[in-house]
Amino acid sequence: MDHGPLLRADRWVSAGLLHPDRFSEVLSDLGNVQVAVPVLLVAAGWAAWRGRRDGAVRWWTVPLAALVTMAVLPVLLVPLKEWIARPGTSVMPPGTGYFPSGHTATALLAYGGAVVVLRPWLGTAPARRRAVAGCAVLVLAVSYGLVRRGYHWPLDVVAAWCLGLVLLAPLAVLSRSTRRSSSGTASPRSGPS
C-alpha cells in the first residue's frame, strides 16, 4: 500500500491538514488507551451499579458487553495492521502497521460504548442526542488531531471509523433489546406498598 490512487488521495488531503503542533497532539491523545478506556470503565461501572440498584433483570449485560467489545478491538486490530502493513506518513518513523488507526478505533469504542451504556439514564431524547453529538465531537477531534499531527493518513482514520462502527453496532442493538425486555418485567422493588 505504498503506492496507488488511495495513497495519492491520502497525501493530497494530508498536505492540506498536516501541521504538527501541540494542540493536534493533545487532540490525538484523547484516543490513547490510558485516556479513553477509563472513561468506558467508569461509565460501565456506573451503569452496572445503577442497573442493579434499579432492579434491572440483566443489569450487567450491556456494561460487560461494552468492556468485552473494547477488549476484542486489539485482537482484531493487531493482525489487521500486520496483514495490511501500510507505511506511515513522512512524519512517522519508517515502518508499517498504521492502517487502521488504533487511536481512532479506541476513541470510537470507548466514548461510543460509554454513550450506549449510559443511554438508559440519559432521560430525554435531547439529552441522548447531546451525548451522541459529544461522542462524535470527541472521535472527530481525535481523528483530526491524528491526521493534523501526521500520525496517520486520513484513510487510516476512515478505516478505523468503519471498524469501530461495526463493533459498536451489536452493542447498541443489545442495549436496545435489553431495555425492551426489562421494561416489561416487574422490578423486585415494584408491587404493592
Side-chain angles (χ1 to χ4, degrees):
M1 294 246 289
D2 57 351
H3 61 284
L6 293 179
L7 187 58
R8 282 194 295 274
D10 266 344
R11 285 186 177 138
W12 181 77
V13 172
S14 289
L17 290 175
L18 186 64
H19 182 71
D21 59 0
R22 180 69 184 131
F23 182 65
S24 59
E25 187 171 346
V26 168
L27 291 178
S28 67
D29 286 347
L30 293 172
N32 283 347
V33 168
Q34 300 88 336
V35 176
V37 172
V39 171
L40 178 60
L41 288 170
V42 168
W46 187 87
W49 169 79
R50 181 70 191 265
R52 184 167 188 226
R53 188 194 82 172
D54 292 351
V57 177
R58 295 183 314 196
W59 54 267
W60 50 270
T61 307
V62 176
L64 178 62
L67 297 175
V68 167
T69 301
M70 190 79 233
V72 165
L73 179 62
V75 173
L76 295 173
L77 197 62
V78 171
L80 189 58
K81 284 176 172 272
E82 289 179 15
W83 178 60
I84 295 173
R86 186 174 197 209
T89 67
S90 60
V91 174
M92 298 306 292
T96 60
Y98 291 93
F99 181 94
S101 165
H103 280 72
T104 304
T106 298
L108 182 58
L109 287 183
Y111 302 133
V115 170
V116 170
V117 299
L118 295 175
R119 191 175 187 279
W121 295 280
L122 293 175
T124 65
R128 290 189 293 275
R129 282 193 296 272
R130 282 192 300 273
V132 169
C135 171
V137 166
L138 280 170
V139 173
L140 289 173
V142 169
S143 302
Y144 174 77
L146 290 166
V147 173
R148 178 115 173 132
R149 183 74 177 87
Y151 291 146
H152 279 285
W153 298 107
L155 192 56
D156 301 347
V157 168
V158 172
W161 292 343
C162 296
L163 176 63
L165 289 172
V166 165
L167 292 173
L168 197 59
L171 181 63
V173 170
L174 175 66
S175 173
R176 285 181 175 269
S177 69
T178 302
R179 263 196 325 274
R180 254 188 249 117
S181 66
S182 295
S183 64
T185 307
S187 165
R189 296 181 188 189
S190 65
S193 35

